[in-house]
Amino acid sequence: RWTAERYGYRTKTGGFGMTVYISPNPGKISASEVALRAAQILQNHGASVLMCEDLRTVCNAAGVVYLPLEQCLERTDVILTIGGDGTILHEANLSLKHAKPILGINLAAAVFWHLEVSEMESKLPAVARGEFQLDNRMLLYAMFWAMTLGKAIALNDVVVTKGRLQQAIDFSIYCDDILVEHYRGDGVIVATRPALLRI
């Protein structure tokens, strides 16, 4: 069990509590409503809540601090996404350099790492107090050559495909300079086993 007190998270008033950045998916119909309810629950249990200033007009709540995205990512202890897996992946890419844990509230049909909306009342108070466990997962760092050298970091998978080529292509997969397998096909997916925050 990781607690706010043990890891030294303090609110501006000197008490122990978490700062949570809430990121709702604007494409989900109920995301703003769920975000406002999540903000209320977190604040009622001692957390400070941040949202991106772009949401001030569509997701306005008393006590929430609205800041530019970069400041939200710098100041938060936890990122709470409202949406589906795509929302988590989007936020993870934005926040890589800040290395903040992410928890999702599910508004989609099929998801990997989320709480259900019905669990917010029982689970978010623990987030507010910093009582959660982190599941650290490996990221993928990909380098590729086209016209120039490209680099990318992926949370869950890297896909290499034939693009517009009509025929299948050959792949030789190496791990630590040791040949794992040779494949011929449309593409190869290299994937991690993702998980983020457990309550």
Side-chain angles (χ1 to χ4, degrees):
R1 182 72 81 187
W2 292 29
T3 65
E5 183 173 2
R6 179 178 172 190
Y7 286 89
Y9 295 117
R10 289 181 181 269
T11 63
K12 292 180 181 178
T13 59
F16 289 100
M18 303 297 283
T19 298
V20 180
Y21 163 52
I22 299 178
S23 177
N25 183 335
K28 301 289 185 182
I29 295 174
S30 60
S32 293
E33 179 184 337
V34 173
L36 292 174
R37 181 61 189 139
Q40 183 180 42
I41 295 169
L42 290 163
Q43 289 176 317
N44 288 346
H45 290 85
S48 300
V49 176
L50 308 175
M51 286 192 201
C52 189
E53 61 185 359
D54 296 345
L55 297 173
R56 188 188 298 268
T57 56
V58 296
C59 199
N60 195 293
V64 173
V65 177
Y66 295 86
L67 296 170
L69 174 62
E70 189 65 19
Q71 290 185 34
C72 289
L73 296 174
E74 288 174 357
R75 297 185 184 191
T76 193
D77 297 311
V78 172
I79 298 170
L80 180 68
T81 65
I82 314 290
D85 288 338
T87 311
I88 281 187
L89 293 172
H90 175 74
E91 205 61 52
N93 286 330
L94 293 177
S95 63
L96 278 173
K97 71 178 182 180
H98 301 288
K100 301 298 174 72
I102 300 176
L103 176 67
I105 302 294
N106 175 30
L107 297 182
V111 293
F112 292 117
W113 319 302
H114 295 67
L115 295 179
E116 298 300 323
V117 173
S118 60
E119 296 179 286
M120 290 199 308
E121 300 284 348
S122 61
K123 299 291 188 177
L124 290 185
V127 176
R129 296 188 298 268
E131 297 173 356
F132 53 79
Q133 294 177 319
L134 296 178
D135 282 337
N136 293 310
R137 296 301 178 185
M138 188 186 330
L139 296 174
L140 294 173
Y141 178 69
M143 297 177 62
F144 53 92
W145 289 264
M147 298 298 290
T148 59
L149 174 65
K151 300 177 183 179
I153 297 176
L155 176 63
N156 62 342
D157 59 41
V158 172
V159 180
V160 181
T161 67
K162 65 180 184 178
R164 296 181 179 178
L165 295 176
Q166 296 300 311
Q167 70 272 13
I169 53 177
D170 294 301
F171 296 89
S172 295
I173 310 298
Y174 289 83
C175 180
D176 295 329
D177 295 324
I178 298 172
L179 179 65
V180 175
E181 190 58 81
H182 180 82
Y183 297 99
R184 182 171 178 79
D186 292 337
V188 171
I189 299 174
V190 180
T192 64
R193 179 175 172 257
L196 299 163
L197 188 150
R198 289 186 293 143
I199 303 171

